[in-house]
Amino acid sequence: MDLARTEVEPRAEARPRAHRRTGSAARLGLMAVPVAFFGLFFAYPVAAITARGLRTGGSWRFGRIWDVFAQPDIRHVLWFTTWQALASTALTLLIALPGAYVFARFEFRGKQVLRAVVTVPFVLPTVVVGTAFLALLGRGGLLDDLWGVRLDTTVWAILLAHVFFNYAVVVRTVGGLWSQLDPRQEEAARMLGASRFAAWRTVTLPALGPAVAAAALMVFLFTFTSFGVVQILGGPTFSTLEVEIYRQTSEIFDLSTAAVLTIIQFVAVGAILAVHAWTVRRRETALRLVDAATTARRPRGAGQWALLAAVLATIAVLLVLPPAVLVARSFDAPGFGYYKALTSDEGGLFLVPPIDAVGNSLRYALAATAIALLIGGLAAAALTRRDAGRLVRGFDALLMLPLGVSAVTVGFGFLVALDEPPLDLRSTWILVPLAQALVGVPFVVRTMLPVLRAVDGRLREAAAVLGASPWRVWREVDLPMVRRALLIAAGFAFAVSLGEFGATVFIARPDNPTLPVAVARLLGRAGELNYGQAMALSTVLMVVCAVALLVLERLRTDLRSDRTGEF
């Protein structure tokens, strides 16, 4: 018996080692498809448009970089882009941190519904956000009607719209961690004589620091690359890097300046993502957490009830009022006049009735979601193990770059790079879903990765020892556990694909406009009817996104933990 045991046991141990070697090869195989996808449809178009801007007559013009920096108007754009991103981040933290505390520590009726309401603005297209604040603060808006005040071309309109858009980032990122911090640590400090503020400052705040930093960096990233909001609300006065790239590309046709601005944005976004990755790793390893269900309780005392009331009032005014005004403006014409006008193409702005944009957007978003799930699922499977080397960590960073690199550059790069065989896609419908999928993939990866990492690796090893192939291991072990996360990822990918604007504005064909493109074109044309149709289309787009988010939130609440806190 002893001899038999000594002969069998080494082989049983060797098989997991062989499986680990096979797993490394399988990981590289899983990475191959996402790397090829990002290489062809992200790196190649961006490099092509940048190279075309920096090359003249076959020679490189690197001196053009300094020439662009020397232009006073470009320096003003760089300054405003950085300044408004810092101001938007600070204002978002100031307004949203009390909300993060309320969602983390208080239990009250309607909390889950309110959580969905708070999250809806984050998945709304930037064009809809800009249109909603235009209906509130612009010509004929609520403030204009009540007090004769217009703020649509001021920096305050941009800052408030950015807070509206990013409120959920802080609530979910900081609130998700706050709800898992053991409140007894702060209570112990108070029992030792510390005041409430001193206990919070010395115990809770240091623990929340990495989460606050991660949320601040994400907000800064989104506002630093802001396009749709600034394009609609900024007017001719305010311009971010993204808006200036669009102006230089589509209006002035100065590709060299656009290329330099793209490089600047790329470097800045790379630095932001590197710092964000460091803060996320620190947050994951430095804390001991408890079950979030045990830390929330009903408010006690007048102070806590007042805080809850203040947060609810903030949500009502900042997050609910702008979309409500948008919906109300869409019904200003009697007999659903603006909605009926969407069925006609008599205005000449489109080759088809504007209502056709709804079907186009849904078809494009469904195709983009399928692509994002395929590419993002393979990428998440490749990133499952935490003990990855530099190559895999670099691959992880690559997946996040489309969130920060100019979507305008990607869209125009599609037109420049994908117009020759064997990648002659310029006249095909698939071009739009490919651009939208680039934005959806990071959300798929970040939604599925925590769930995949939570799967016990010994289950995979046991299946491999029993002779299962890597594909069967995935199908029999991983898929049943991540099925719900996969649906959540699909919801996120669908919502962000539906609202993608920066790249789509270049590549959507005139006879197949998407909803965001149609809204932007209607807003760019004078006339009360065009303005009303833009409000009506924005309402339709908002409702579709909100329904997708509510379905997603219903799925999320069925999970044992919040898997989407990263966003």
Side-chain angles (χ1 to χ4, degrees):
M1 294 295 295
D2 291 339
L3 179 60
R5 192 183 314 163
T6 57
E7 290 178 347
V8 172
E9 287 181 355
R11 287 184 298 185
E13 293 175 357
R15 295 187 73 170
R17 285 198 298 268
H19 172 62
R20 285 193 290 270
R21 290 193 296 270
T22 304
S24 299
R27 176 184 293 176
L28 293 176
L30 291 171
M31 289 171 55
V33 174
V35 168
F37 177 81
F38 275 82
L40 286 175
F41 302 115
F42 177 68
Y44 175 48
V46 171
I49 190 65
T50 304
R52 177 167 293 196
L54 292 180
R55 292 189 68 181
T56 302
S59 60
W60 292 94
R61 299 175 56 202
F62 292 109
R64 181 60 180 162
I65 297 177
W66 174 252
D67 294 339
V68 171
F69 270 111
Q71 299 177 25
D73 55 337
I74 296 300
R75 291 202 301 269
H76 175 74
V77 169
L78 292 173
W79 165 247
F80 176 74
T81 301
T82 305
W83 176 86
Q84 65 83 25
L86 290 171
S88 297
T89 302
L91 190 61
T92 302
L93 290 175
L94 179 66
I95 295 176
L97 281 176
Y101 174 79
V102 165
F103 279 99
R105 295 301 196 201
F106 291 172
E107 190 63 47
F108 53 91
R109 183 175 297 177
K111 180 178 176 179
Q112 295 301 329
V113 175
L114 193 64
R115 187 190 295 272
V117 170
V118 166
T119 311
V120 165
F122 179 69
V123 299
L124 286 181
T126 55
V127 170
V128 172
V129 175
T131 307
F133 275 82
L134 193 64
L136 178 64
L137 307 176
R139 173 182 56 85
L142 183 62
L143 291 186
D144 193 13
D145 289 345
L146 294 178
W147 298 293
V149 176
R150 289 184 56 185
L151 299 175
D152 54 320
T153 56
T154 68
V155 72
W156 280 108
I158 296 173
L159 297 181
L160 289 175
H162 283 162
V163 174
F164 171 90
F165 190 76
N166 293 292
Y167 187 93
V169 176
V170 177
V171 169
R172 283 188 172 271
T173 304
V174 180
L177 179 61
W178 209 335
S179 65
Q180 294 179 280
L181 294 180
D182 192 345
R184 293 174 295 183
Q185 297 177 356
E186 189 173 323
E187 293 171 0
R190 294 193 62 194
M191 291 180 63
L192 294 174
S195 64
R196 182 184 296 273
F197 176 75
W200 180 82
R201 179 176 57 83
T202 58
V203 177
T204 305
L205 183 59
L208 288 176
V212 174
L217 283 166
M218 289 300 291
V219 173
F220 184 85
L221 173 65
F222 291 137
T223 53
F224 187 83
T225 58
S226 181
F227 176 54
V229 168
V230 180
Q231 177 81 350
I232 292 174
L233 297 177
T237 306
F238 302 108
S239 178
T240 57
L241 269 174
E242 187 83 354
V243 174
E244 188 64 21
I245 292 171
Y246 174 78
R247 191 175 73 89
Q248 295 288 341
T249 302
S250 64
E251 298 178 9
I252 303 177
F253 303 106
D254 187 350
L255 293 185
S256 62
T257 298
V260 172
L261 296 179
T262 297
I263 293 173
I264 295 171
Q265 190 175 32
F266 184 83
V267 172
V269 167
I272 295 169
L273 290 176
V275 176
H276 177 261
W278 177 79
T279 57
V280 169
R281 286 197 301 269
R282 182 181 170 192
R283 183 183 64 181
E284 287 180 345
T285 58
L287 300 173
R288 179 178 298 174
L289 307 178
V290 299
D291 187 359
T294 64
T295 62
R297 53 180 173 78
R298 289 185 61 81
R300 300 174 184 174
Q304 292 188 355
W305 281 106
L307 175 61
L308 176 59
V311 168
L312 294 178
T314 300
I315 293 173
V317 173
L318 183 64
L319 304 185
V320 177
L321 182 60
V325 173
L326 169 64
V327 174
R329 292 294 180 221
S330 72
F331 288 102
D332 276 352
F336 302 97
Y338 293 143
Y339 289 91
K340 290 180 179 178
L342 295 177
T343 62
S344 172
D345 60 352
E346 294 180 358
L349 187 59
F350 303 98
L351 298 179
V352 294
I355 195 64
D356 285 6
V358 177
N360 296 334
S361 289
L362 292 175
R363 287 191 295 271
Y364 287 145
L366 288 173
T369 300
I371 297 171
L373 287 177
L374 173 63
I375 303 299
L378 292 173
L383 294 169
T384 298
R385 291 184 58 179
R386 294 178 180 272
D387 57 343
R390 292 183 179 180
L391 176 64
V392 178
R393 288 198 296 269
F395 172 66
D396 192 9
L398 169 68
L399 299 174
M400 294 293 291
L401 281 179
L403 290 181
V405 173
S406 170
V408 170
T409 301
V410 174
F412 199 70
F414 270 34
L415 296 182
V416 171
L418 304 180
D419 64 342
E420 296 179 358
L423 288 175
D424 187 6
L425 304 176
R426 189 167 177 172
S427 60
T428 63
W429 67 273
I430 196 63
L431 208 59
V432 174
L434 287 173
Q436 294 174 344
L438 285 172
V439 184
V441 167
F443 288 88
V444 174
V445 173
R446 287 292 168 257
T447 302
M448 294 186 62
L449 190 56
V451 183
L452 285 171
R453 283 178 172 171
V455 177
D456 192 341
R458 291 173 296 183
L459 295 176
R460 300 188 183 99
E461 292 183 356
V465 167
L466 294 174
S469 64
W471 163 247
R472 188 173 181 183
V473 170
W474 160 256
R475 182 166 54 86
E476 300 291 344
V477 177
D478 294 81
L479 184 58
M481 298 185 181
V482 302
R483 185 179 290 112
R484 195 176 298 276
L486 191 66
L487 293 174
I488 292 176
F492 266 122
F494 179 80
V496 298
S497 299
L498 197 66
E500 204 287 322
F501 175 62
T504 309
V505 70
F506 280 97
I507 57 181
R509 293 161 53 181
D511 57 340
N512 286 293
T514 64
L515 278 169
V517 171
V519 170
R521 290 179 182 173
L522 287 167
L523 287 176
R525 191 170 183 179
E528 191 66 30
L529 179 61
N530 292 320
Y531 181 82
Q533 288 183 89
M535 297 292 161
L537 270 184
S538 295
T539 300
V540 173
L541 182 53
M542 181 176 63
V543 169
V544 174
C545 288
V547 169
L549 193 279
L550 289 173
V551 173
L552 181 154
E553 183 67 18
R554 178 65 180 270
L555 292 170
R556 189 204 66 81
T557 54
D558 290 338
L559 293 175
R560 296 181 61 184
S561 59
D562 189 350
R563 304 297 186 186
T564 57
E566 294 281 338
F567 294 96

